[in-house]
């Protein structure tokens, strides 16, 4: 069941909805996750891969950060790369993996820790209609009044890094997520968002 909170702003109805994971993805990326992770949980999302990157190539690059237990580049039904993948290490990888300067085939990629989808789908919301100047810190500020936040993410254009006008907020608890869905006023700095 999708929870939503309808809001009318300047005569237009906008909605903040609970984010729903894609069924084909077993895991989803979440940044800044800190927890005592079991050994089998050293799994990372790798985004922004070059179009011709294959699983073997990604695994080869990731071996420089630690022993790779499993690696996959996700593809479309016709075999084309979807531009992202997952890598699981046998033990904690080198901290340089999360430095923001990891390159695969000469292209800087996004590396984020992954947590199982069922661990956060009830705590994650989609936020749309964001102004281009809104960053992750401002997104967090918009929603922190409802409870502690695990992570925020603004979705950006891969080439220009400009905001695509939407993002996600993951709360520490389902209660905080429900509070945001029920009480978010639907605007930030006088501008409507959904």
């Amino acid at each position: 069941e999708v929870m939503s909170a309808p809001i009318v702003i300047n005569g237009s109805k906008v909605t903040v909805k609970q984010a729903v994971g894609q069924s084909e993805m077993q895991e989803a990326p979440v940044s800044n996750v800190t927890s005592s992770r079991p050994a089998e949980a050293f799994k990372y999302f790798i985004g922004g891969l070059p179009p011709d990157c294959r699983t073997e190539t990604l695994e080869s690059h990731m071996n420089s950060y630690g022993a790779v237990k499993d690696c996959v580049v996700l593809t479309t039904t016709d075999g084309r790369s979807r531009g992202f993948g997952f890598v699981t290490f046998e033990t904690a990888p080198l901290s340089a993996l999360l430095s923001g300067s990891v390159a695969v085939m000469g292209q800087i990629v996004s590396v984020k820790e992954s947590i199982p989808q069922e661990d956060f789908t009830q705590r994650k919301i989609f936020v749309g209609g964001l102004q281009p100047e809104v960053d992750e810190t401002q997104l967090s500020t918009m929603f922190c009044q409802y409870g502690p936040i695990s992570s925020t993410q603004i979705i950006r254009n891969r080439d220009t890094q400009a905001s695509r006008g939407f993002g996600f907020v993951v709360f520490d608890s389902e209660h905080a997520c429900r509070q945001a869905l029920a009480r978010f006023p639907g605007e930030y700095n006088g501008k409507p968002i959904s």
Side-chain angles (χ1 to χ4, degrees):
E1 174 184 329
V2 176
M3 298 182 293
S4 65
I7 302 161
V8 177
I9 300 173
N10 296 334
S12 296
K13 183 177 173 183
V14 296
T15 307
V16 175
K17 294 183 177 180
Q18 184 168 358
V20 180
Q22 294 178 341
S23 61
E24 63 214 21
M25 290 179 55
Q26 296 300 311
E27 308 275 338
V30 177
S31 5
N32 303 323
V33 174
T34 55
S35 65
S36 56
R37 294 164 38 136
E40 68 273 11
F42 295 111
K43 187 169 189 174
Y44 294 82
F45 167 85
I46 314 295
L49 293 171
D52 54 343
C53 184
R54 301 290 173 244
T55 296
E56 300 76 26
T57 307
L58 179 59
E59 183 173 356
S60 174
H61 283 278
M62 292 295 114
N63 270 320
S64 62
Y65 297 97
V68 174
K69 181 178 181 180
D70 187 37
C71 180
V72 64
V73 172
L74 279 77
T75 58
T76 61
T77 54
D78 62 354
R80 290 181 298 140
S81 171
R82 293 181 59 196
F84 67 95
F86 293 93
V87 177
T88 305
F89 293 91
E90 298 201 16
T91 59
L94 297 174
S95 60
L97 182 67
L98 296 174
S99 70
S101 61
V102 174
V104 174
M105 300 174 64
Q107 183 169 311
I108 299 294
V109 296
S110 172
V111 179
K112 298 182 179 172
E113 294 179 80
S114 289
I115 60 173
Q117 188 173 7
E118 62 272 5
D119 285 354
F120 76 88
T121 55
Q122 299 300 312
R123 301 181 291 124
K124 183 176 183 178
I125 60 171
F126 166 85
V127 183
L130 296 174
Q131 297 299 315
E133 66 274 5
V134 174
D135 62 16
E136 282 82 356
T137 301
Q138 291 169 312
L139 186 58
S140 182
T141 300
M142 284 183 221
F143 289 93
C144 67
Q145 64 186 315
Y146 305 108
I149 293 174
S150 297
S151 67
T152 58
Q153 180 183 20
I154 301 289
I155 304 304
R156 301 185 180 283
N157 177 293
R158 185 185 343 187
D159 299 327
T160 66
Q161 292 303 305
S163 170
R164 291 180 54 196
F166 67 95
F168 297 93
V169 177
V170 179
F171 291 92
D172 283 354
S173 70
E174 290 179 31
H175 175 73
C177 183
R178 285 191 301 272
Q179 291 293 322
L181 288 169
R183 297 184 179 171
F184 183 71
E187 68 177 28
Y188 180 69
N189 286 342
K191 297 181 180 176
I193 64 173
S194 59

